[in-house]
Amino acid sequence: MVRINPSILAADFVNMERDLRRISTADLVHVDVMDNHFVPNLTFGPQMVTRIQAVSPIPLDVHLMIENVDRWAPEYAKIGAASVTFHAEATEKPVELARALRALGSRAGIALKPGTDAAPYLDDIAEFDQVLVMTVEPGFGGQSFMADMMPKVQQVRDAADAAGSSVWLQVDGGIDLSTIATARSAGADTFVAGSAVYGSGDPDVNIAELRALASGHQHEV
Ligand code: DX5
Ligand code: ZN
């Protein structure tokens, strides 16, 4: 199964409710939370995400690019986010945090920056519902896809398959019509796209085109 999760980092922040309704065919809404410490950019916090959760017809896929995730990640699960993903470096106890998120009813995800090795986390893959392999340096939308991350995607896919895990393998950064099939071939099944969904045209049409390419049905657009 292929999931397309539009990133509202590329939406209009003062027309957020409108822009949430323009992605009615999305699987989840990708919400990039940045604290200007873990990454050099600042977006929304729990108050904004509480309102997004309240008005969004689509469940939330929260991507935390923040420090102190032991303190803050559970807050997003309590808000009702369907999925909460934290970066591996932001906690010393990723398995314990994932368990806490699951206990609060959220899916638990771990994110790997381009420079972060997947190997230390693969023995614990059953503890996670999602592994996010970043295909850009986190912090900003509109960057170029890093094709050199595909071996890491394949490595996570192989580990998941070997473990019989149904973990979602997400890629985030530079996913568009020219790169999504490459990421799918490497084993990704969950695709974040900001610019490619909201940049131009009708977001739902853009989602359909991305989904068709990721599904290998190039002619079903
Ligand atoms: C980057 C964010 C991404 C970003 C992707 O740090 O995690 O989710 O919104 O934007 P595009 O799809 O434009 O690369
Ligand atoms: Zn993201």
Side-chain angles (χ1 to χ4, degrees):
M1 173 171 176
V2 164
R3 280 165 290 270
I4 307 292
N5 298 357
S7 170
I8 54 169
L9 187 62
D12 181 345
F13 281 21
V14 296
N15 287 286
M16 191 58 81
E17 186 171 12
R18 180 200 69 187
D19 277 1
L20 287 165
R21 295 184 191 287
R22 294 173 75 204
I23 52 169
S24 64
T25 55
D27 291 278
L28 292 96
V29 181
H30 188 80
V31 181
D32 288 306
V33 174
M34 306 186 192
D35 66 356
N36 204 30
H37 290 271
F38 188 80
V39 290
N41 196 4
L42 184 65
T43 56
F44 354 90
Q47 274 187 289
M48 181 69 176
V49 177
T50 297
R51 288 297 298 146
I52 292 169
Q53 168 75 27
V55 303
S56 177
I58 310 276
L60 305 190
D61 168 39
V62 173
H63 176 195
L64 299 175
M65 286 161 277
I66 62 173
E67 297 176 349
N68 298 327
V69 287
D70 297 308
R71 164 71 180 85
W72 289 108
E75 297 296 323
Y76 292 91
K78 290 176 194 165
I79 286 168
S83 177
V84 178
T85 297
F86 54 85
H87 275 265
E89 290 79 5
T91 177
E92 291 179 0
K93 297 182 174 177
V95 169
E96 283 80 349
L97 181 54
R99 289 176 180 171
L101 293 170
R102 284 176 163 181
L104 289 165
S106 169
R107 295 174 64 89
I110 187 162
L112 308 172
K113 293 195 286 190
T116 302
D117 190 2
Y121 307 101
L122 296 180
D123 285 347
D124 293 322
I125 201 159
E127 300 282 352
F128 300 99
D129 300 296
Q130 174 161 277
V131 176
L132 165 50
V133 175
M134 292 300 303
T135 44
V136 297
E137 288 294 342
F140 299 92
Q143 303 182 78
S144 296
F145 177 75
M146 296 170 68
D148 54 339
M149 292 298 114
M150 295 307 97
K152 190 196 291 187
V153 173
Q154 188 72 60
Q155 179 187 12
V156 176
R157 169 52 57 207
D158 290 347
D161 290 350
S165 163
S166 56
V167 68
W168 293 356
L169 209 178
Q170 184 173 77
V171 285
D172 180 9
I175 298 297
D176 61 21
L177 295 177
S178 71
T179 59
I180 193 166
T182 300
R184 175 64 174 168
S185 297
D189 56 22
T190 304
F191 304 88
V192 177
S195 315
V197 169
Y198 281 112
S200 64
D202 178 343
D204 272 325
V205 171
N206 295 336
I207 291 168
E209 292 180 351
L210 289 165
R211 192 185 300 284
L213 281 171
S215 307
H217 305 309
Q218 286 90 338
H219 302 294
E220 287 186 10
V221 176

